[in-house]
Amino acid sequence: NLLHVAGADAYLTLQNTSNENLDGQAETRIIFGDHSGAGLAQIEGSHSGGSDDEKGKLIFSTNTDGGLATALTIDDTQKAVFAGDVEFGGDTSTFTSANASDPLLIIKNTTNDAAAARLRFVKDKGGAGADADGCGEIEFYGDDDNQDNILFAKVRAEVADASNGAEGGRLMLGVATHDGEFQNGLVIE
């Protein structure tokens, strides 16, 4: 490696010594360039907000073939804003908050038209579909008086008829019964 920092406290500090306090000022950058010197990606740390304080933000940028463009900004409140689509890998994503009435997931459409925001569940088994294949579920868990996490209610969508040209769906709304077993109370198909 051209630069190798080794030691018990292997820190690297980039310090902008300009006395700047406006948003985006006092910036420092790490730029990743190609053979021609064009910036392919960049990490920038800078001041966040317009007050004379030590609040900072971090900006990750990538080159869209038209120059560097912000892909991700993390501000002083730890809020992360993605400029493009976000895809999560792995099996589970958990949103945790100790605040009352949180966490809150908002899906917002701000276009001035009649279109609505959408939440889409997709089952793509990579093979032929069959009757009773699940399409998506929303599960509602809560604590019982023993502090066990119990499924108290569920909304499930599934394939009622997988026959090509005669496809039919099924929507079920269910609740836990008095003995903790799950029972569908409303089925629409």
Side-chain angles (χ1 to χ4, degrees):
N1 299 319
L2 294 176
L3 175 64
H4 181 165
V5 180
D9 297 317
Y11 304 149
L12 178 63
T13 301
L14 301 178
Q15 180 181 3
N16 184 328
T17 58
S18 301
N19 186 7
E20 300 174 326
N21 296 300
L22 296 179
D23 192 61
Q25 291 185 337
E27 72 278 1
T28 54
R29 297 179 181 150
I30 299 173
I31 301 171
F32 304 89
D34 69 3
H35 64 280
S36 69
L40 300 176
Q42 174 178 284
I43 301 172
E44 176 181 294
S46 65
H47 190 265
S48 183
S51 299
D52 185 359
D53 54 30
E54 297 174 355
K55 292 181 179 179
K57 67 180 172 183
L58 198 57
I59 300 172
F60 294 84
S61 301
T62 58
N63 196 321
T64 60
D65 203 23
L68 289 170
T70 298
L72 166 63
T73 301
I74 305 172
D75 69 11
D76 59 277
T77 66
Q78 309 306 306
K79 178 180 178 183
V81 177
F82 294 86
D85 296 337
V86 178
E87 183 173 323
F88 295 95
D91 296 325
T92 304
S93 297
T94 302
F95 301 89
T96 304
S97 175
N99 297 323
S101 300
D102 286 333
L104 172 64
L105 176 63
I106 299 173
I107 302 172
K108 183 190 294 188
N109 180 333
T110 59
T111 306
N112 185 12
D113 61 19
R118 299 176 295 162
L119 177 63
R120 179 178 293 179
F121 295 86
V122 177
K123 172 68 175 197
D124 186 358
K125 23 189 312 191
D131 294 358
D133 279 352
C135 299
E137 291 185 6
I138 302 174
E139 299 176 339
F140 301 90
Y141 279 78
D143 289 335
D144 66 8
D145 64 4
N146 193 45
Q147 240 182 345
D148 295 327
N149 235 206
I150 302 296
L151 175 64
F152 281 97
K154 177 170 65 174
V155 178
R156 175 180 167 88
E158 67 179 30
V159 176
D161 186 348
S163 304
N164 186 270
E167 297 89 343
R170 180 180 298 122
L171 182 67
M172 298 173 287
L173 178 63
V175 296
T177 60
H178 68 280
D179 56 359
E181 296 299 318
F182 196 79
Q183 181 69 43
N184 285 317
L186 174 65
V187 178
I188 304 171
E189 61 180 288

